[in-house]
Amino acid sequence: NSIYFFAGRLSTTSLGSTIKFNTDTAVGQLDYDNYILGVAYSRDIFRIGLGFTFGAEIGGAVRFGSYSSCCKPIVKSPSLLHSEELWIGPRISYEGFVLFDTLRIAGATTWGLSFTDNSIGFERGREIAWNGSARTLFYFGPEIILSLQQFPNAEFVYRLHHRSGANGTLGNLREGYNANIFGI
């Protein structure tokens, strides 16, 4: 069993650019607009072998900020906007390796479906541009996990939080929202 608390920024760029923390965006381009805060619960179901485990995850988040639509045009709200998200799916984790008998580096990824009550920011801009809906999209969440050997039950996690229409398969969208998130 694992409970993961996280926070991060929602990206106004593609999956590839978000992976690189938007270091490749043009000068003056808005890299991030709104924020995300949430929790996920995962459970290992069975060991596959070679350090891999199959499991499942369910998570929820609130996405919030002042950008109601981004980025062509940018529309800001005078009040705080929010959008709730829920995702569920299978998860594969790798127990990793230990460096210097101190630091464990591991990984995992979750695939599944993601549901929102409404869209804000760049995701809303994509809905308008593609005449689509981001209410139900595919979810993809690869992560890197770091922990100290002396505290094996406490982990620091970086995850790429990605919602996708898989090139129009769901919601007539290519992508929904991406985020760089960190948590424990």
Side-chain angles (χ1 to χ4, degrees):
N1 293 317
S2 173
I3 298 176
Y4 169 53
F5 298 95
F6 65 85
R9 303 264 333 252
L10 292 158
S11 175
T12 62
T13 63
S14 68
L15 172 65
S17 185
T18 305
I19 287 171
K20 297 181 274 187
F21 292 88
N22 297 328
T23 56
D24 59 352
T25 55
V27 175
Q29 180 181 343
L30 187 63
D31 312 48
Y32 296 95
D33 55 3
N34 294 314
Y35 300 88
I36 185 168
L37 182 67
V39 63
Y41 169 75
S42 63
R43 178 164 176 84
D44 293 343
I45 298 171
F46 65 87
R47 294 194 181 280
I48 300 170
L50 302 172
F52 289 92
T53 302
F54 176 81
E57 178 177 287
I58 185 167
V62 70
R63 305 169 322 161
F64 61 95
S66 58
Y67 290 90
S68 59
S69 181
C70 184
C71 285
K72 294 176 185 174
I74 294 174
V75 180
K76 288 184 84 172
S77 170
S79 61
L80 188 67
L81 304 168
H82 63 89
S83 167
E84 284 77 30
E85 179 182 355
L86 173 74
W87 67 93
I88 188 165
R91 174 183 170 88
I92 296 198
S93 58
Y94 175 62
E95 67 187 30
F97 54 91
V98 177
L99 293 175
F100 312 112
D101 292 326
T102 306
L103 179 67
R104 183 176 64 88
I105 302 172
T109 187
T110 302
W111 301 274
L113 290 174
S114 171
F115 311 94
T116 62
D117 63 341
N118 67 322
S119 294
I120 60 173
F122 199 58
E123 187 172 73
R124 179 65 185 135
R126 285 177 167 152
E127 283 182 325
I128 294 167
W130 290 93
N131 193 28
S133 170
R135 293 279 176 126
T136 302
L137 295 176
F138 293 110
Y139 179 79
F140 176 56
E143 60 190 53
I144 297 170
I145 304 163
L146 303 173
S147 66
L148 297 173
Q149 283 294 94
Q150 65 192 74
F151 303 107
N153 292 328
E155 301 172 326
F156 177 75
V157 179
Y158 161 72
R159 179 183 285 190
L160 177 68
H161 189 87
H162 174 66
R163 301 184 74 235
S164 174
N167 206 24
T169 305
L170 287 180
N172 197 37
L173 292 178
R174 292 183 180 181
E175 283 188 271
Y177 237 149
N178 300 307
N180 290 305
I181 59 175
F182 296 89
I184 54 170

